[in-house]
Structures are given as C-alpha cells and as structure tokens.
Amino acid sequence: MPAIGFEHHDHAHCVRSTLSKAEAHCADTGLRLTPVRRRALEILLAEHRALGAYDLLEVLASEGLGTQPPVAYRALDFLVKAGFAHKIEALNAYIACAHLGADHTPAFLICRGCNSVAETDTSPAQGRLGDAARAAGFVIERTVVEAEGLCPDCQKDAA
Amino acid sequence: MPAIGFEHHDHAHCVRSTLSKAEAHCADTGLRLTPVRRRALEILLAEHRALGAYDLLEVLASEGLGTQPPVAYRALDFLVKAGFAHKIEALNAYIACAHLGADHTPAFLICRGCNSVAETDTSPAQGRLGDAARAAGFVIERTVVEAEGLCPDCQKDAA
DNA sequence: TAGGGCTTGATATGTTATAACATCCAGCTT
DNA sequence: AAGCTGGATGTTATAACATATCAAGCCCTA
C-alpha cells in the first residue's frame, strides 16, 4: 500500500471513486450518508490536507448546511466512525481516508511546509511497539502513528 | 529499553533520579531550571499519568506560582523542548519523560481504564513508516507513536 | 398511524492554546 | 554605578477546538 498524498495523480478520479465506495458501503451496511455527511466527505476529499472542524464548518455554513459547531463535529464523528475519514491528532484536524475499503491501520506523513498529509499503512503491533506492549501485558486497541517533516516539494523550496 | 509506567517500582527513587538528571543537564547546557519549571517537572513526575496544562496550572496556582494559562504553557514548552517531558497528542496532555538522558524516540501505551501512560521506545524510521517515507521522498523530523488500550490491571477489572 | 430510533436544530458552555504587551531581573559593559 | 541586553514572568484578552443538553423533525415499520 503506497503513501497517497504527495505524488501527482488523477485527483478527480480519486475523489469520485472514494465517494462511490462510501456510498456502496453505506448501502450495504444501512449507514445513512445524509446530505451534510456526504458534502463533508466531499469537502475533505477535495484536498490531501487536514482540515480543522471549523474550516469544514465554514464551508458547510457558506452552503447553508448548518452554522453551529455540532454540525461539523457530528459529520466528522460519522465519517471517522464509518472509516471514511481519520483524525490527525498532532493537528487536531481531519482528513478523508485515502484507502477506503482496505483493511488498514493508518499512518500519516505530515508536511510542516505545505500542510499536506499523505496516508500510508503501518503495523505497529508487529514492531517494537507491539513487543513492548506484549512485554508489559498491555492490550492495544487503537494506534496513532504520525510523522512530521518535509515533503519532496518543500525540501526543494527550503534548498 | 523497557516500558516504564505500569509495573510497580520505587517511584520516589525514579522521581529523585530524574530531577537530578534534569538539574545536571541544565547545569551542563546553560538552561535555566527556574522554580516554576522545576516544580512543574516535579508535579508531572509525581505520577505516570498525563496531566492537562490546566491540571498543572491548578496545582501551580494553589502554590502561588502563577494563575494564568501562559504560566503552565511556558513551563511545559520548556520541559518539552529540553526533553524533560513529552506531549501525548491523543490526550492533549503532558507527561514527564521516563527515559531522561537516553537518546530515544518515545512511544506511549495509554490505558483508557485508569489513564496511566507507559513510555517505551520505538524506531519508526526503520519500520514500514520509514519505508513509506523513503518511497515518497519524505524527510521525517518528529514522530508521534501512541497506542490506546488496556493495561494489565484494567484488563483484570474488566473481566 | 403511532411509536421508536436516528438525525438535525439551536443554545450554551467547557476545554485547550496562544497573541500581545508590559515588567522584572540577572549578568555584562562601560 | 549607570545603562544595556536577553531571558523570564505577569497580565489581559482572545483564538481554536470540542461537547452537553434539550427540542424538533424525519423515516421506517409494525
């Protein structure tokens, strides 16, 4: 599973295809992809960048889809629980899932230059973290793996 | 490097020894471990648990060491920059470093039952995350690795 | 068509974090 | 000793992130 986010790609296609997968998943499982939720996912998908809840709210508000914080947080909760989006803990911000449908443990590469975020995959339970957890008798339920640094473009700019 | 936090240990000794190391490090490098900073570190060291900035502020305030948020955030900034404490991103909270002096990339096991936190060590740049970063041409400067789950004691309680 | 459960609307508030500017103080300089 | 300098602290205000609560609407289905 490659990192998705920095390389150039057919973005329109990746947006459409993710939306289709989300719709199909909801149809299968009975989840309700309501107008606000669907639009929130579209907004996140529009960029490979993490958006704050209030950034999202601003866009929703400009479209008449709600003006108060709970609107954004409810939509984000839904998307995160459904696996359509992830929260980036280091930024207190949210990003659309780039590997929708794949069973994965997400990990993120966060560029401090341009704020773009690439999603990749990891298996922390199989590495040193998992070893430490087993040694301590700790049962892992969820992992947060995020790396901050510079993407290729921003390295060029810095040089 | 073992995980430190869940197992029973001589806590008074681990507090004293960490404070000594911090003092020695400041003496060596010219950093100033002022009364507020030193007391903040002591407060964090008092438990293997992450404290919010406002929790810390409450204690400092009760001792006449300052009443406004910047007091706590400045002390925490100093401790984090000096490597004496770490921020737990998943909790927006702070914990004293359990491996002071060792060159390490911290990783945390966070118990959702009792809020205790164990610090261990990881090498994300050598695992799958590092592979993905190299493949994407991304340069990692800092990593956040946190696992949420249940510690041994809380597993017993749940059963 | 009535009831239950999920969704949305609306108000208020709680929690985490920083900006901005004034003041103080220790150490150095002349 | 007077003055400068840089880090540390005091103080006020506000920005940014997140949730509790209760009322109202919608949709399914029995």
Side-chain angles (χ1 to χ4, degrees):
Chain A
M1 193 178 294
I4 294 183
F6 301 139
E7 77 290 0
H8 300 156
H9 62 285
D10 181 346
H11 190 56
H13 173 266
C14 100
V15 170
R16 278 197 311 276
S17 119
T18 305
L19 265 177
S20 304
K21 285 183 197 161
E23 281 167 354
H25 182 71
C26 287
D28 284 354
T29 58
L31 291 175
R32 295 169 56 184
L33 193 61
T34 63
V36 183
R37 293 169 176 178
R38 188 194 153 93
R39 186 66 190 121
L41 179 54
E42 283 178 4
I43 291 164
L44 291 183
L45 278 169
E47 21 202 337
H48 289 294
R49 209 163 59 82
L51 287 185
Y54 282 71
D55 297 330
L56 173 64
L57 178 59
E58 197 174 332
V59 180
L60 292 173
S62 75
E63 299 176 359
L65 288 170
T67 60
Q68 300 305 316
V71 170
Y73 283 101
R74 284 167 180 161
L76 288 167
D77 278 355
F78 172 84
L79 296 176
V80 168
K81 283 196 178 122
F84 300 163
H86 302 293
K87 179 173 187 184
I88 308 294
E89 297 288 351
L91 301 177
N92 292 320
Y94 303 81
I95 189 166
C97 177
H99 295 127
L100 221 174
D103 181 20
H104 65 299
T105 304
F108 303 96
L109 304 174
I110 305 164
C111 179
R112 69 170 164 78
C114 60
N115 293 309
S116 63
V117 175
E119 176 177 351
T120 179
D121 189 55
T122 186
S123 311
Q126 290 169 23
R128 293 182 59 190
L129 184 64
D131 294 342
R134 276 184 292 277
F138 184 90
V139 175
I140 295 177
E141 294 171 346
R142 180 177 93 100
T143 59
V144 173
V145 179
E146 301 171 3
E148 290 177 340
L150 283 181
C151 74
D153 286 353
C154 288
Q155 289 167 51
K156 280 177 211 142
D157 292 351
Chain B
M1 193 180 292
I4 293 184
F6 302 139
E7 77 290 359
H8 300 157
H9 63 285
D10 182 346
H11 190 55
H13 172 266
C14 98
V15 170
R16 278 197 312 276
S17 119
T18 305
L19 265 178
S20 304
K21 284 182 197 160
E23 280 166 357
H25 181 72
C26 287
D28 285 354
T29 58
L31 291 175
R32 295 169 56 184
L33 192 61
T34 62
V36 183
R37 293 168 177 179
R38 188 195 153 93
R39 185 69 190 118
L41 179 55
E42 284 177 3
I43 291 163
L44 290 183
L45 278 169
E47 22 200 336
H48 290 293
R49 209 162 59 82
L51 287 185
Y54 283 73
D55 296 330
L56 173 64
L57 179 59
E58 195 173 335
V59 180
L60 291 175
S62 75
E63 300 176 357
L65 287 170
T67 61
Q68 299 305 317
V71 170
Y73 282 101
R74 284 166 180 162
L76 288 167
D77 278 354
F78 171 84
L79 295 177
V80 168
K81 282 194 179 124
F84 300 164
H86 302 293
K87 179 171 187 184
I88 309 294
E89 297 288 352
L91 301 177
N92 291 319
Y94 304 81
I95 190 167
C97 177
H99 295 126
L100 221 175
D103 181 20
H104 66 299
T105 304
F108 302 96
L109 303 174
I110 304 164
C111 179
R112 68 171 165 79
C114 60
N115 292 311
S116 61
V117 175
E119 176 177 351
T120 179
D121 190 53
T122 188
S123 310
Q126 290 170 21
R128 293 182 59 190
L129 184 63
D131 294 341
R134 275 182 293 278
F138 183 90
V139 175
I140 295 177
E141 294 171 345
R142 179 177 92 100
T143 58
V144 173
V145 178
E146 300 171 3
E148 291 177 340
L150 283 181
C151 74
D153 285 353
C154 288
Q155 289 167 50
K156 280 178 211 141
D157 292 350

